[in-house]
C-alpha cells in the first residue's frame, strides 16, 4: 500500500509546481507592471517645461512614446511621466535645464525568443496539463487493467485493518460457531502444529444464518482474537458501475492478502457476487466476471500460506455451487437464532453497556423474547435504556426491559390511537379467548402477559405466548392445540357478540400456515403419509414454499386444511362455551386494567375451580 502511494504523490507534486509556475507568469505579465506604474505621476507637457525652467528636473529618460523624468520635491524625488510631443527644441531645453537625459530604445526580443514565448511555452503547458488531467481521470474512473491501477485513493477504505478490538467474549451464545472458528484462530497463531501432521486448514469458511445473528460480529471477533491483518469488504462493494472494476478489485484484494499473510479476508454478504450463474437473459456480466475472478483467485493460492477467507451470507442456497465445492468455502458454519440460554447471555453482554437495576431477571426477559435475534436483543436492551432516560430515571428496570420487548417485537405503543369502549370490549374478549383456550389445553403454553393497548404494527391486542423451555420438536397434538389457540380469539367474539370482526386476520394467517405445513411438510395426515407436497425455498429468510404435487392433490390439500382448521375452531368454541364464566371474569379484568399478567390470569382462573375441560 505504502509503496503504491508514493508515485501519485510525486506526480501530483510536479502537477502543482506547474500550476504555481503558470500563476507566477500571469502575475509577471499583467499584474506586476501595473503595480510599478502606480507610483508614476502623470503630468502634462507644460508641467515638464515649467519644471525644466525651474531647474527641478533630475534625470530624464525618453522613449518613443513617453518621457519619464524625476522631479526633486524637498528630499524626495518623484517620478513623472508625460506623453512625447514633437518638439524641435527638446534637446536644447533639456540641456539648458542641466538635467541628465538619455533616449531608451525598447528591447526587442529576437524572433526566436518571441516564437518560444508566444507559441512553444503555452503549447507545452497545455499538453502537460492535459496529460496530467487525463492520467488522473483514467485512474479514478477506469480502475484500469492492472492491479496497481485498480485502487485509486478513493477506494483505499475498502481494506480496513481491524481496529475493532472485538473478542469472542463479546459474542454470546453461538458456541458451536465459536468452536469452529477457534480452530482457525489457532491455526493462524501456530501453523507449524498443523503442518507437522500434514493437515491444511480449509481455505474458506462460510458463515450462514438469518440476519442479525452475529455473523459479521463473529468475523470481527476472529480478527480480534487472531491479531493478524483483517481485510474486510462487502460483496456489494465489488459490484460497481464500471465494467471490470469488480474483477480488478478481487485480484488486488488477493494480491495484498498474499503479501500480508498470515491474514484474514472477510467478504460480507457474499451472495451479492456469489449468486448462481444461471445464464438468464438479464445476466449481470459484471457480477459474473467478479465471481469468476474470485473462484480463480481462491484456487490460486496455497492454503499453507495462511490466508483464511471468511464469508457471510443469509442466503446459502442462492450461492453458486462452484463456490461451495471443496477447496473453496468447504466449511460451513451455521449461525442460528439463539436459544433460551443464548438469549440470556446476549442480553447480559449488552446489558453491561447500560446502567441497570440490580434485580433485573434476565431469564424472564429471555423467556419472553422467544425467537428474537441477537440484533433484536441488543435493540431491546437499548430501548430499555432509552425508556429509562425518557422517564428521567438513572437506570433501567425490569419493567423497562419487558416493555421494550414488546416495542421491538410488536412495534411502539401508539398512545394516540384510542380504542372505542365497544372495540376495547371486543378486543378484551378476543384476547382472553386466545389465552383461555391455550390454558385449558394441557399442552399449550401458559400466558405471560396480555395487553389491549394498540400498537403501530397493526396488531390490536397482543398476547405473548411463552413456551416453558425450548423445544425443537413439536408433536401433532401440540400443533393442533396451537391452531385451536389461534382460533380462540374469533371463537370468543362469536360466542359473546354473535358477530365477527376483522381483528382475527393475523390469527387466520398463522393458523392456516400451521395447518398447511402439517399436511404438506410434516407428514401429519394419514392419507398422504410421509410424502412432501411442498418444498421450502429459503429456510433462513423464512422463505416461501412451492407446491410440488398434482392439481388434484392441491385441491385435496386445500380441503384438508380447511377441515383441520374448522375442527380446531369448533374445539376452541366448545372450550370457551364450557368456561364462559371464567371468560367473562377474565375479560372484565383485562377490560378494566388493559393488561393482565400470567400470574393474575392464573389466579382468576384457579380462584374457584368450575368444571375444567381437558
Ligand atoms: P449479521 O448476522 O446480520 O451479520 P451482525 O453481526 O451485524 O449480524 O449483528 C448485529 C448486531 O447484533 C451486532 O452488532 C451485535 O450488537 C448484536 N448481536 C448479534 N448477535 C450477537 C451475539 N451472539 N452476541 C452479542 N451480540 C450480538
Ligand atoms: Mg452482517
Ligand atoms: Zn387474535
Amino acid at each position: 500500500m505504502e509503496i503504491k502511494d508514493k508515485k501519485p504523490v510525486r506526480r501530483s507534486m510536479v502537477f502543482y509546481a506547474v500550476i504555481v509556475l503558470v500563476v507566477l507568469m500571469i502575475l509577471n505579465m499583467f499584474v506586476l507592471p501595473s503595480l510599478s506604474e502606480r507610483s508614476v505621476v502623470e503630468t502634462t507637457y507644460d508641467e515638464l517645461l515649467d519644471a525644466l525652467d525651474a531647474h527641478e528636473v533630475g534625470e530624464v529618460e525618453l522613449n518613443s512614446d513617453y518621457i519619464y523624468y524625476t522631479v526633486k520635491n524637498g528630499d524626495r524625488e518623484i517620478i513623472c511621466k508625460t506623453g512625447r510631443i514633437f518638439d524641435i527644441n527638446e534637446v536644447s531645453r533639456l540641456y539648458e535645464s542641466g538635467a541628465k537625459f538619455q533616449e531608451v530604445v525598447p528591447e526587442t526580443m529576437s524572433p526566436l525568443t518571441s516564437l518560444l514565448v508566444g507559441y512553444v511555452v503555452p503549447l507545452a503547458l497545455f499538453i502537460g496539463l492535459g496529460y496530467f488531467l487525463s492520467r488522473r481521470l483514467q485512474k479514478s474512473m477506469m480502475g484500469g487493467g492492472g492491479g496497481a491501477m485498480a485502487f485509486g485513493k478513493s477506494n483505499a477504505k475498502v481494506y480496513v485493518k481491524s481496529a475493532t478490538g472485538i473478542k469472542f467474549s463479546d459474542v454470546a451464545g453461538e458456541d458451536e460457531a465459536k468452536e469452529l472458528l477457534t480452530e482457525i484462530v489457532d491455526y493462524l497463531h501456530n501453523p507449524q502444529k498443523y503442518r507437522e501432521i500434514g493437515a491444511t486448514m480449509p481455505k474458506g469458511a462460510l458463515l450462514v444464518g438469518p440476519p442479525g445473528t452475529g455473523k459479521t460480529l463473529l468475523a470481527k471477533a476472529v480478527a480480534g482474537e487472531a491479531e493478524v491483518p483483517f481485510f474486510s469488504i462487502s460483496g456489494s462493494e465489488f459490484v460497481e458501475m464500471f465494467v471490470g472494476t469488480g474483477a480488478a478489485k478481487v485480484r488486488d484484494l488477493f494480491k495484498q492478502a498474499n503479501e500480508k499473510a498470515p491474514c484474514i479476508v472477510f467478504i460480507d454478504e457474499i451472495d451479492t457476487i456469489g449468486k448462481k450463474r444461471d445464464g438468464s437473459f438479464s445476466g449481470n456480466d459484471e457480477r459474473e466476471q467478479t465471481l469468476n475472478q474470485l473462484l480463480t483467485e481462491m484456487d490460486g493460492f496455497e492454503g499453507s500460506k495462511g490466508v483464511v477467507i471468511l464469508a457471510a451470507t443469509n442466503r446459502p442456497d442462492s450461492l453458486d455451487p462452484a463456490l461451495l465445492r471443496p477447496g473453496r468455502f468447504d466449511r460451513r458454519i451455521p449461525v442460528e437464532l439463539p436459544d433460551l440460554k443464548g438469549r440470556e447471555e446476549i442480553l447480559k453482554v449488552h446489558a453491561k453497556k447500560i446502567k441497570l437495576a440490580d434485580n433485573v431477571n434476565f431469564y424472564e426477559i429471555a423467556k419472553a423474547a422467544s425467537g428474537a435475534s441477537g440484533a433484536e436483543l441488543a435493540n431491546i436492551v437499548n430501548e430499555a435504556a432509552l425508556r429509562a432516560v425518557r422517564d428521567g430515571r438513572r437506570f433501567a428496570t425490569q419493567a423497562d426491559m419487558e416493555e421494550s420487548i414488546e416495542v421491538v417485537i410488536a412495534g411502539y405503543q401508539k398512545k394516540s390511537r384510542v380504542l372505542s369502549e365497544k372495540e376495547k370490549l371486543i378486543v378484551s374478549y378476543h384476547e382472553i379467548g386466545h389465552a383461555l383456550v391455550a390454558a385449558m389445553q394441557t399442552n399449550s403454553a401458559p400466558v405471560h402477559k396480555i395487553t389491549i393497548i394498540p400498537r403501530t404494527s397493526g396488531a390490536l391486542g397482543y398476547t405473548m405466548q411463552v413456551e416453558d423451555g425450548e423445544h425443537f420438536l413439536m408433536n401433532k397434538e401440540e400443533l393442533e392445540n396451537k391452531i385451536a389457540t389461534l382460533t380462540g380469539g374469533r371463537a370468543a367474539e362469536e360466542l359473546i357478540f354473535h358477530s365477527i370482526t376483522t381483528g382475527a386476520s393475523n390469527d387466520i394467517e398463522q393458523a392456516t400456515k400451521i395447518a398447511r405445513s402439517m399436511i404438506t411438510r410434516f407428514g401429519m395426515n394419514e392419507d398422504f403419509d410421509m410424502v412432501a407436497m411442498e418444498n421450502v425455498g429459503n429456510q433462513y429468510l423464512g422463505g416461501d414454499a412451492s407446491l410440488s404435487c398434482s392439481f388434484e392433490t392441491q385441491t385435496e390439500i386445500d380441503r384438508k386444511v380447511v377441515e383441520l382448521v374448522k375442527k380446531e375452531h369448533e374445539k376452541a368454541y366448545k372450550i370457551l362455551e364450557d368456561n364462559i364464566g371464567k371468560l367473562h371474569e377474565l375479560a372484565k379484568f383485562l377490560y378494566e386494567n388493559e393488561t393482565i399478567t400470567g400470574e393474575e390470569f392464573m389466579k382468576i382462573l384457579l380462584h374457584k375451580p368450575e368444571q375444567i375441560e381437558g
Side-chain angles (χ1 to χ4, degrees), residues 261-276:
C263 68
I264 296 167
V265 174
F266 176 52
I267 306 173
D268 209 354
E269 318 284 352
I270 196 172
D271 41 286
T272 32
I273 47 167
K275 266 191 221 115
K276 281 195 187 85

Side-chain angles (χ1 to χ4, degrees), residues 257-390:
N258 255 325
E259 283 164 12
K260 291 260 160 67
C263 68
I264 296 167
V265 174
F266 176 52
I267 306 173
D268 209 354
E269 318 284 352
I270 196 172
D271 41 286
T272 32
I273 47 167
K275 266 191 221 115
K276 281 195 187 85
R277 291 164 294 183
D278 49 5
S280 63
F281 287 113
S282 62
N284 185 341
D285 239 15
E286 168 65 0
R287 214 198 61 224
E288 222 159 85
Q289 269 185 32
T290 311
L291 175 59
N292 284 336
Q293 189 66 40
L294 182 64
L295 295 175
T296 319
E297 293 290 346
M298 284 193 77
D299 282 343
F301 66 90
E302 324 93 81
S304 58
K305 264 205 103 168
V307 181
V308 173
I309 300 162
L310 292 180
T313 180
N314 41 31
R315 326 183 42 181
D317 55 313
S318 76
L319 288 181
D320 197 283
L323 262 180
L324 302 172
R325 76 141 172 76
R328 289 181 184 135
F329 290 111
D330 42 4
R331 188 169 282 195
R332 240 185 214 232
I333 302 180
V335 187
E336 299 286 356
L337 287 174
D339 57 4
L340 183 60
K341 205 168 127 273
R343 286 201 300 272
E344 194 180 343
E345 280 168 25
I346 293 172
L347 282 170
K348 280 181 182 160
V349 163
H350 286 279
K352 278 188 202 132
K353 297 173 196 160
I354 68 165
K355 288 210 176 97
L356 266 183
D358 298 333
N359 60 352
V360 169
N361 186 340
F362 290 106
Y363 176 77
E364 283 297 322
I365 301 158
K367 223 168 111 180
S370 163
S373 70
E376 278 166 335
L377 291 167
N379 199 5
I380 286 171
V381 172
N382 192 47
E383 277 296 334
L386 288 177
R387 226 176 84 95
V389 174
R390 223 176 288 142

Side-chain angles (χ1 to χ4, degrees), residues 559-572:
R559 222 196 57 241
K560 282 181 189 296
V561 169
V562 175
E563 220 167 69
L564 177 57
V565 174
K566 211 167 180 173
K567 193 181 107 205
E568 297 309 317
H569 188 171
E570 275 158 16
K571 185 169 107 193

Side-chain angles (χ1 to χ4, degrees), residues 183-213:
E183 199 181 297
I184 291 176
V185 172
D186 188 48
Y187 172 77
L188 289 171
H189 274 160
N190 43 59
Q192 201 52 41
K193 194 168 86 186
Y194 292 80
R195 240 174 264 151
E196 268 165 20
I197 299 187
T200 47
M201 252 293 112
K203 275 186 196 168
L206 190 62
L207 297 159
V208 292
T213 44

Side-chain angles (χ1 to χ4, degrees), residues 91-140:
V91 174
S92 55
R93 272 188 224 277
L94 286 170
Y95 186 72
E96 276 161 24
S97 77
K100 284 189 198 164
F101 62 99
Q102 61 173 338
E103 171 114 25
V104 180
V105 183
E107 264 180 62
T108 49
M109 282 186 271
S110 72
L112 189 71
T113 344
S114 69
L115 190 82
L116 221 68
V117 172
Y119 296 97
V120 178
V121 171
L123 213 70
L125 273 175
F126 268 110
I127 290 172
L129 251 166
Y131 175 74
F132 284 120
L133 283 180
S134 71
R135 281 300 286 266
R136 301 196 122 210
L137 222 67
Q138 216 178 38
K139 218 167 47 159
S140 60

